Amino acid sequence: MKQRIAIDMDEVMADTLEKRLAIYRTEFGEELLRESLHGVNLYEAISEERREAVRAQLFQPGFFREIPLMEGAKDAIRDLMERYEVFITTAAMEYPHSFTEKYEWIKEHLPFFPDSHIVFCGDKSIIHADFLIDDTPHHFARFAGQGILFSAPHNAKEDRYPRVANWSEVRMRFLGEP
Amino acid sequence: MKQRIAIDMDEVMADTLEKRLAIYRTEFGEELLRESLHGVNLYEAISEERREAVRAQLFQPGFFREIPLMEGAKDAIRDLMERYEVFITTAAMEYPHSFTEKYEWIKEHLPFFPDSHIVFCGDKSIIHADFLIDDTPHHFARFAGQGILFSAPHNAKEDRYPRVANWSEVRMRFLGEP
């Protein structure tokens, strides 16, 4: 039986941070550098009076639909699917308006991906898989398989889990080639 | 640690068949009796020329929003949540337009149920739980825990799994009282 890999969407397949920084730029006429987010989340890196507006980005219609694909994700996922059973597991319940946008995003960017293997959830301890590739370490706490941390500025100081810096490193780890 | 029960929506929490029979009655001016569905699915029980229209019911906006709650489901789920970790696991990916309707249905009928424990999926072998209460036996084939078949006319001839006839029997099995 194939081993099973569950893969998160935001900040793993989808470059959600890129989109958020672009909106920030437009909204405040100011550049927020990825370097300034080292080890902190977006809200900790900005002034208190901007936090509410930045949080509201996530609830704008279209936000989750228009996020750019992370570099290398499409080919890597297609190749992983030949050797593993791959599921997309995204914590969509935090943003219930995002269901359709996330589904359409997958259809556009990963048109070969089967509906049967898409999961919208909240608590990811419900996921039965050998590996979970995710940028959010708290999902690994109760996950029964092996968590693989996908690097993002906010998780830079996390050192409890094996880490991949990008999709090339995902390929190295799971397919043995970049 | 609490044992974990995953529970299906359609024909378990939600009386989806009741809704389908009501639409059938309106559409064809004819009663389809539950008895006629013993051991067969809805499509097998009707004439071929009606099948497409009956399948189209599922794609009508509002279909999944307006399904009646199954008798006894609300209190039983609330009581189960005191002794078990309960997840709602529904195969929403077959009907992507249903995401929001299913979410709103849960908010209306089970307002105490946490978002974090709702899962929209396809293949339920991704569910990591001790028990899965479902009317569709094919979900049990690759499920790692114990499948519990919730009786519905279509599964009447299935005899491979322990069975509960209704929510009172779910209570008996998991709480030791009706």
Side-chain angles (χ1 to χ4, degrees), chain B residues 109-158:
Chain B
H109 293 287
L110 307 168
F112 51 83
F113 201 87
D115 283 3
S116 59
H117 283 53
I118 302 171
V119 184
F120 292 170
C121 59
D123 182 334
K124 292 192 186 177
S125 70
I126 193 64
I127 301 301
H128 182 63
D130 298 292
F131 303 97
L132 169 60
I133 304 175
D134 210 298
D135 67 302
T136 306
H138 81 74
H139 286 307
F140 301 150
R142 296 202 306 151
F143 174 63
Q146 172 66 60
I148 306 284
L149 193 67
F150 196 96
S151 289
H154 72 83
N155 67 35
K157 292 174 181 166
E158 175 62 57

Short mmCIF file of all heavy atoms in Angstrom, two decimals, chain B residues 109-158:
data_model
loop_
_atom_site.label_atom_id
_atom_site.label_comp_id
_atom_site.label_asym_id
_atom_site.label_seq_id
_atom_site.Cartn_x
_atom_site.Cartn_y
_atom_site.Cartn_z
N HIS B 109 -28.64 23.63 13.20
CA HIS B 109 -29.20 22.48 13.93
C HIS B 109 -28.35 22.02 15.10
O HIS B 109 -28.85 21.40 16.04
CB HIS B 109 -29.43 21.32 12.95
CG HIS B 109 -30.50 21.60 11.95
ND1 HIS B 109 -31.84 21.62 12.29
CD2 HIS B 109 -30.44 21.90 10.63
CE1 HIS B 109 -32.55 21.91 11.22
NE2 HIS B 109 -31.73 22.09 10.19
N LEU B 110 -27.05 22.28 15.03
CA LEU B 110 -26.14 21.86 16.10
C LEU B 110 -25.28 23.06 16.50
O LEU B 110 -24.06 23.06 16.31
CB LEU B 110 -25.25 20.70 15.62
CG LEU B 110 -25.98 19.49 15.01
CD1 LEU B 110 -24.98 18.58 14.31
CD2 LEU B 110 -26.74 18.72 16.08
N PRO B 111 -25.92 24.11 17.02
CA PRO B 111 -25.19 25.37 17.25
C PRO B 111 -24.04 25.24 18.24
O PRO B 111 -23.15 26.08 18.25
CB PRO B 111 -26.28 26.31 17.77
CG PRO B 111 -27.38 25.43 18.25
CD PRO B 111 -27.33 24.20 17.41
N PHE B 112 -24.06 24.20 19.03
CA PHE B 112 -23.00 23.98 20.03
C PHE B 112 -21.78 23.28 19.43
O PHE B 112 -20.78 23.07 20.11
CB PHE B 112 -23.56 23.11 21.17
CG PHE B 112 -24.25 21.87 20.68
CD1 PHE B 112 -23.51 20.73 20.37
CD2 PHE B 112 -25.64 21.83 20.49
CE1 PHE B 112 -24.14 19.59 19.89
CE2 PHE B 112 -26.27 20.69 20.01
CZ PHE B 112 -25.52 19.56 19.71
N PHE B 113 -21.85 22.89 18.17
CA PHE B 113 -20.79 22.06 17.60
C PHE B 113 -19.62 22.93 17.13
O PHE B 113 -19.80 23.88 16.37
CB PHE B 113 -21.33 21.23 16.43
CG PHE B 113 -20.45 20.04 16.14
CD1 PHE B 113 -20.63 18.84 16.82
CD2 PHE B 113 -19.37 20.14 15.27
CE1 PHE B 113 -19.79 17.77 16.61
CE2 PHE B 113 -18.52 19.07 15.06
CZ PHE B 113 -18.73 17.87 15.73
N PRO B 114 -18.38 22.61 17.54
CA PRO B 114 -17.24 23.47 17.20
C PRO B 114 -16.79 23.33 15.75
O PRO B 114 -16.67 22.22 15.23
CB PRO B 114 -16.13 22.98 18.14
CG PRO B 114 -16.49 21.56 18.46
CD PRO B 114 -18.00 21.48 18.42
N ASP B 115 -16.50 24.45 15.11
CA ASP B 115 -15.99 24.47 13.74
C ASP B 115 -14.78 23.56 13.57
O ASP B 115 -14.61 22.92 12.53
CB ASP B 115 -15.53 25.89 13.36
CG ASP B 115 -16.69 26.81 13.03
OD1 ASP B 115 -17.86 26.36 13.14
OD2 ASP B 115 -16.44 27.96 12.67
N SER B 116 -13.94 23.55 14.59
CA SER B 116 -12.68 22.79 14.50
C SER B 116 -12.91 21.30 14.26
O SER B 116 -12.00 20.60 13.82
CB SER B 116 -11.89 22.95 15.80
OG SER B 116 -12.66 22.48 16.90
N HIS B 117 -14.13 20.82 14.54
CA HIS B 117 -14.40 19.40 14.44
C HIS B 117 -15.33 19.04 13.27
O HIS B 117 -15.95 17.98 13.26
CB HIS B 117 -14.92 18.87 15.78
CG HIS B 117 -13.80 18.71 16.79
ND1 HIS B 117 -12.94 19.74 17.09
CD2 HIS B 117 -13.37 17.63 17.51
CE1 HIS B 117 -12.05 19.31 17.97
NE2 HIS B 117 -12.28 18.05 18.24
N ILE B 118 -15.41 19.95 12.31
CA ILE B 118 -16.18 19.69 11.09
C ILE B 118 -15.19 19.34 9.98
O ILE B 118 -14.19 20.05 9.80
CB ILE B 118 -17.00 20.93 10.67
CG1 ILE B 118 -17.95 21.34 11.80
CG2 ILE B 118 -17.75 20.67 9.37
CD1 ILE B 118 -18.65 22.69 11.55
N VAL B 119 -15.47 18.28 9.24
CA VAL B 119 -14.59 17.87 8.14
C VAL B 119 -15.41 17.64 6.88
O VAL B 119 -16.36 16.85 6.87
CB VAL B 119 -13.84 16.55 8.49
CG1 VAL B 119 -12.87 16.19 7.37
CG2 VAL B 119 -13.12 16.66 9.82
N PHE B 120 -15.04 18.35 5.82
CA PHE B 120 -15.62 18.10 4.49
C PHE B 120 -14.58 17.32 3.71
O PHE B 120 -13.46 17.81 3.50
CB PHE B 120 -15.89 19.42 3.77
CG PHE B 120 -16.97 20.27 4.37
CD1 PHE B 120 -17.16 21.58 3.94
CD2 PHE B 120 -17.83 19.77 5.34
CE1 PHE B 120 -18.16 22.37 4.48
CE2 PHE B 120 -18.84 20.55 5.89
CZ PHE B 120 -19.00 21.86 5.45
N CYS B 121 -14.95 16.15 3.27
CA CYS B 121 -13.95 15.32 2.60
C CYS B 121 -14.57 14.54 1.45
O CYS B 121 -15.73 14.78 1.07
CB CYS B 121 -13.30 14.38 3.61
SG CYS B 121 -14.47 13.27 4.42
N GLY B 122 -13.80 13.61 0.91
CA GLY B 122 -14.28 12.73 -0.14
C GLY B 122 -14.10 11.31 0.37
O GLY B 122 -14.97 10.74 1.01
N ASP B 123 -12.92 10.78 0.15
CA ASP B 123 -12.54 9.45 0.61
C ASP B 123 -12.37 9.48 2.14
O ASP B 123 -11.47 10.15 2.65
CB ASP B 123 -11.22 9.08 -0.08
CG ASP B 123 -10.73 7.70 0.29
OD1 ASP B 123 -11.05 7.19 1.37
OD2 ASP B 123 -9.98 7.13 -0.53
N LYS B 124 -13.22 8.75 2.86
CA LYS B 124 -13.19 8.84 4.34
C LYS B 124 -12.10 7.99 4.98
O LYS B 124 -11.98 7.97 6.21
CB LYS B 124 -14.56 8.53 4.93
CG LYS B 124 -15.59 9.59 4.60
CD LYS B 124 -16.88 9.45 5.40
CE LYS B 124 -17.91 10.47 4.89
NZ LYS B 124 -19.21 10.34 5.58
N SER B 125 -11.29 7.32 4.18
CA SER B 125 -10.17 6.60 4.79
C SER B 125 -9.16 7.59 5.37
O SER B 125 -8.29 7.21 6.14
CB SER B 125 -9.49 5.68 3.78
OG SER B 125 -8.79 6.44 2.82
N ILE B 126 -9.28 8.87 5.03
CA ILE B 126 -8.40 9.90 5.60
C ILE B 126 -8.77 10.23 7.04
O ILE B 126 -8.03 10.91 7.74
CB ILE B 126 -8.44 11.19 4.71
CG1 ILE B 126 -7.30 12.16 5.07
CG2 ILE B 126 -9.79 11.89 4.83
CD1 ILE B 126 -5.91 11.68 4.81
N ILE B 127 -9.91 9.74 7.51
CA ILE B 127 -10.38 10.08 8.87
C ILE B 127 -9.71 9.21 9.93
O ILE B 127 -9.78 7.99 9.86
CB ILE B 127 -11.92 9.92 8.95
CG1 ILE B 127 -12.62 10.84 7.93
CG2 ILE B 127 -12.43 10.21 10.37
CD1 ILE B 127 -12.33 12.31 8.10
N HIS B 128 -9.12 9.88 10.89
CA HIS B 128 -8.43 9.19 11.98
C HIS B 128 -9.35 9.20 13.21
O HIS B 128 -9.40 10.19 13.95
CB HIS B 128 -7.13 9.93 12.28
CG HIS B 128 -6.30 9.30 13.36
ND1 HIS B 128 -5.77 8.04 13.25
CD2 HIS B 128 -5.92 9.75 14.58
CE1 HIS B 128 -5.09 7.75 14.34
NE2 HIS B 128 -5.18 8.77 15.17
N ALA B 129 -10.10 8.14 13.37
CA ALA B 129 -11.06 8.08 14.49
C ALA B 129 -11.23 6.63 14.91
O ALA B 129 -10.89 5.71 14.16
CB ALA B 129 -12.40 8.69 14.06
N ASP B 130 -11.75 6.44 16.10
CA ASP B 130 -11.99 5.07 16.58
C ASP B 130 -13.24 4.48 15.94
O ASP B 130 -13.31 3.27 15.69
CB ASP B 130 -12.14 5.09 18.11
CG ASP B 130 -10.87 5.60 18.78
OD1 ASP B 130 -9.87 4.88 18.72
OD2 ASP B 130 -10.88 6.73 19.30
N PHE B 131 -14.23 5.33 15.70
CA PHE B 131 -15.50 4.87 15.13
C PHE B 131 -15.96 5.83 14.03
O PHE B 131 -15.72 7.04 14.13
CB PHE B 131 -16.60 4.83 16.21
CG PHE B 131 -16.25 3.96 17.38
CD1 PHE B 131 -15.72 4.52 18.54
CD2 PHE B 131 -16.44 2.58 17.33
CE1 PHE B 131 -15.38 3.72 19.62
CE2 PHE B 131 -16.10 1.78 18.42
CZ PHE B 131 -15.56 2.35 19.56
N LEU B 132 -16.60 5.28 13.04
CA LEU B 132 -17.24 6.10 12.00
C LEU B 132 -18.68 5.62 11.86
O LEU B 132 -18.92 4.45 11.54
CB LEU B 132 -16.51 5.95 10.66
CG LEU B 132 -17.18 6.53 9.42
CD1 LEU B 132 -17.39 8.05 9.57
CD2 LEU B 132 -16.34 6.26 8.16
N ILE B 133 -19.62 6.51 12.17
CA ILE B 133 -21.04 6.18 12.03
C ILE B 133 -21.48 6.72 10.68
O ILE B 133 -21.47 7.94 10.45
CB ILE B 133 -21.88 6.82 13.16
CG1 ILE B 133 -21.35 6.39 14.54
CG2 ILE B 133 -23.35 6.45 13.00
CD1 ILE B 133 -22.06 7.07 15.72
N ASP B 134 -21.87 5.83 9.78
CA ASP B 134 -22.12 6.23 8.40
C ASP B 134 -23.16 5.28 7.79
O ASP B 134 -23.24 4.12 8.16
CB ASP B 134 -20.80 6.14 7.62
CG ASP B 134 -20.72 7.13 6.48
OD1 ASP B 134 -21.55 7.05 5.55
OD2 ASP B 134 -19.82 7.99 6.51
N ASP B 135 -23.93 5.81 6.85
CA ASP B 135 -24.92 4.94 6.18
C ASP B 135 -24.32 4.27 4.93
O ASP B 135 -24.98 3.42 4.33
CB ASP B 135 -26.16 5.74 5.77
CG ASP B 135 -25.84 6.75 4.69
OD1 ASP B 135 -24.95 7.60 4.91
OD2 ASP B 135 -26.44 6.67 3.60
N THR B 136 -23.11 4.68 4.55
CA THR B 136 -22.54 4.20 3.29
C THR B 136 -21.40 3.23 3.57
O THR B 136 -20.30 3.64 3.94
CB THR B 136 -22.01 5.40 2.47
OG1 THR B 136 -23.07 6.35 2.33
CG2 THR B 136 -21.54 4.96 1.10
N PRO B 137 -21.65 1.93 3.40
CA PRO B 137 -20.64 0.95 3.81
C PRO B 137 -19.31 1.08 3.07
O PRO B 137 -18.28 0.72 3.62
CB PRO B 137 -21.31 -0.40 3.55
CG PRO B 137 -22.57 -0.13 2.82
CD PRO B 137 -22.90 1.31 2.96
N HIS B 138 -19.31 1.61 1.86
CA HIS B 138 -18.02 1.64 1.15
C HIS B 138 -17.00 2.54 1.86
O HIS B 138 -15.80 2.37 1.67
CB HIS B 138 -18.17 1.94 -0.34
CG HIS B 138 -18.33 3.38 -0.69
ND1 HIS B 138 -17.29 4.29 -0.64
CD2 HIS B 138 -19.40 4.08 -1.11
CE1 HIS B 138 -17.74 5.48 -1.01
NE2 HIS B 138 -19.00 5.38 -1.29
N HIS B 139 -17.48 3.45 2.70
CA HIS B 139 -16.52 4.28 3.46
C HIS B 139 -15.75 3.46 4.51
O HIS B 139 -14.72 3.89 5.00
CB HIS B 139 -17.24 5.44 4.16
CG HIS B 139 -17.66 6.53 3.23
ND1 HIS B 139 -16.78 7.14 2.37
CD2 HIS B 139 -18.86 7.13 3.03
CE1 HIS B 139 -17.42 8.06 1.67
NE2 HIS B 139 -18.68 8.07 2.04
N PHE B 140 -16.29 2.30 4.87
CA PHE B 140 -15.62 1.50 5.92
C PHE B 140 -14.46 0.66 5.37
O PHE B 140 -13.62 0.21 6.13
CB PHE B 140 -16.62 0.55 6.59
CG PHE B 140 -17.79 1.25 7.25
CD1 PHE B 140 -19.03 0.62 7.33
CD2 PHE B 140 -17.66 2.52 7.79
CE1 PHE B 140 -20.11 1.25 7.94
CE2 PHE B 140 -18.74 3.16 8.40
CZ PHE B 140 -19.97 2.52 8.47
N ALA B 141 -14.45 0.44 4.08
CA ALA B 141 -13.50 -0.51 3.49
C ALA B 141 -12.05 -0.20 3.86
O ALA B 141 -11.30 -1.07 4.23
CB ALA B 141 -13.68 -0.56 1.98
N ARG B 142 -11.67 1.08 3.75
CA ARG B 142 -10.27 1.44 4.05
C ARG B 142 -10.17 2.25 5.35
O ARG B 142 -9.11 2.77 5.69
CB ARG B 142 -9.67 2.25 2.90
CG ARG B 142 -9.55 1.46 1.58
CD ARG B 142 -8.49 2.06 0.65
NE ARG B 142 -8.71 3.48 0.42
CZ ARG B 142 -7.75 4.36 0.17
NH1 ARG B 142 -6.47 3.98 0.14
NH2 ARG B 142 -8.03 5.63 -0.04
N PHE B 143 -11.28 2.38 6.08
CA PHE B 143 -11.27 3.14 7.33
C PHE B 143 -10.53 2.35 8.40
O PHE B 143 -10.79 1.15 8.58
CB PHE B 143 -12.71 3.44 7.75
CG PHE B 143 -12.84 4.11 9.09
CD1 PHE B 143 -12.30 5.38 9.31
CD2 PHE B 143 -13.50 3.48 10.14
CE1 PHE B 143 -12.42 5.99 10.55
CE2 PHE B 143 -13.63 4.09 11.39
CZ PHE B 143 -13.09 5.35 11.58
N ALA B 144 -9.61 3.01 9.12
CA ALA B 144 -8.76 2.29 10.07
C ALA B 144 -9.48 1.92 11.37
O ALA B 144 -9.06 1.02 12.08
CB ALA B 144 -7.52 3.11 10.38
N GLY B 145 -10.55 2.63 11.72
CA GLY B 145 -11.29 2.33 12.95
C GLY B 145 -12.45 1.38 12.68
O GLY B 145 -12.45 0.63 11.70
N GLN B 146 -13.43 1.41 13.58
CA GLN B 146 -14.59 0.53 13.47
C GLN B 146 -15.75 1.26 12.79
O GLN B 146 -16.20 2.29 13.30
CB GLN B 146 -15.00 0.08 14.88
CG GLN B 146 -16.31 -0.69 14.95
CD GLN B 146 -16.21 -2.04 14.25
OE1 GLN B 146 -15.38 -2.88 14.62
NE2 GLN B 146 -17.02 -2.25 13.22
N GLY B 147 -16.20 0.74 11.68
CA GLY B 147 -17.38 1.30 11.03
C GLY B 147 -18.65 0.86 11.73
O GLY B 147 -18.77 -0.31 12.11
N ILE B 148 -19.58 1.78 11.93
CA ILE B 148 -20.89 1.48 12.52
C ILE B 148 -21.92 1.92 11.49
O ILE B 148 -22.02 3.11 11.17
CB ILE B 148 -21.13 2.28 13.82
CG1 ILE B 148 -19.98 2.08 14.83
CG2 ILE B 148 -22.49 1.94 14.41
CD1 ILE B 148 -19.98 0.77 15.55
N LEU B 149 -22.65 0.96 10.95
CA LEU B 149 -23.59 1.28 9.87
C LEU B 149 -24.89 1.85 10.43
O LEU B 149 -25.56 1.22 11.24
CB LEU B 149 -23.88 0.00 9.08
CG LEU B 149 -24.60 0.21 7.74
CD1 LEU B 149 -23.69 0.95 6.75
CD2 LEU B 149 -25.05 -1.12 7.16
N PHE B 150 -25.23 3.06 9.99
CA PHE B 150 -26.49 3.68 10.39
C PHE B 150 -27.53 3.24 9.36
O PHE B 150 -27.40 3.50 8.16
CB PHE B 150 -26.35 5.21 10.40
CG PHE B 150 -27.45 5.91 11.15
CD1 PHE B 150 -27.27 6.29 12.48
CD2 PHE B 150 -28.65 6.20 10.52
CE1 PHE B 150 -28.28 6.95 13.17
CE2 PHE B 150 -29.67 6.86 11.21
CZ PHE B 150 -29.49 7.25 12.53
N SER B 151 -28.57 2.60 9.83
CA SER B 151 -29.53 2.00 8.90
C SER B 151 -30.20 3.02 7.99
O SER B 151 -30.65 4.08 8.44
CB SER B 151 -30.62 1.25 9.68
OG SER B 151 -30.09 0.08 10.24
N ALA B 152 -30.28 2.67 6.73
CA ALA B 152 -31.03 3.43 5.73
C ALA B 152 -31.57 2.37 4.78
O ALA B 152 -30.98 1.27 4.68
CB ALA B 152 -30.11 4.40 5.00
N PRO B 153 -32.69 2.65 4.12
CA PRO B 153 -33.22 1.61 3.24
C PRO B 153 -32.17 1.05 2.27
O PRO B 153 -32.08 -0.17 2.09
CB PRO B 153 -34.34 2.35 2.48
CG PRO B 153 -34.79 3.41 3.42
CD PRO B 153 -33.54 3.84 4.16
N HIS B 154 -31.34 1.92 1.71
CA HIS B 154 -30.38 1.45 0.68
C HIS B 154 -29.37 0.44 1.22
O HIS B 154 -28.84 -0.37 0.45
CB HIS B 154 -29.67 2.63 0.03
CG HIS B 154 -28.66 3.31 0.90
ND1 HIS B 154 -27.39 2.83 1.05
CD2 HIS B 154 -28.74 4.42 1.70
CE1 HIS B 154 -26.72 3.62 1.88
NE2 HIS B 154 -27.52 4.58 2.29
N ASN B 155 -29.09 0.49 2.55
CA ASN B 155 -28.08 -0.44 3.07
C ASN B 155 -28.68 -1.64 3.80
O ASN B 155 -27.98 -2.36 4.53
CB ASN B 155 -27.05 0.30 3.95
CG ASN B 155 -27.65 0.86 5.24
OD1 ASN B 155 -28.54 0.26 5.84
ND2 ASN B 155 -27.15 2.01 5.69
N ALA B 156 -29.99 -1.88 3.58
CA ALA B 156 -30.70 -2.91 4.35
C ALA B 156 -30.08 -4.30 4.20
O ALA B 156 -30.20 -5.13 5.11
CB ALA B 156 -32.18 -2.95 3.92
N LYS B 157 -29.46 -4.57 3.07
CA LYS B 157 -28.93 -5.92 2.86
C LYS B 157 -27.45 -6.07 3.26
O LYS B 157 -26.87 -7.15 3.11
CB LYS B 157 -29.12 -6.33 1.39
CG LYS B 157 -30.61 -6.53 1.06
CD LYS B 157 -30.85 -6.80 -0.41
CE LYS B 157 -32.34 -6.96 -0.69
NZ LYS B 157 -32.63 -6.88 -2.14
N GLU B 158 -26.88 -5.00 3.74
CA GLU B 158 -25.47 -5.02 4.13
C GLU B 158 -25.33 -5.73 5.48
O GLU B 158 -26.02 -5.38 6.42
CB GLU B 158 -24.97 -3.57 4.24
CG GLU B 158 -23.57 -3.40 4.76
CD GLU B 158 -22.53 -4.07 3.86
OE1 GLU B 158 -22.46 -3.74 2.68
OE2 GLU B 158 -21.82 -4.95 4.39
#
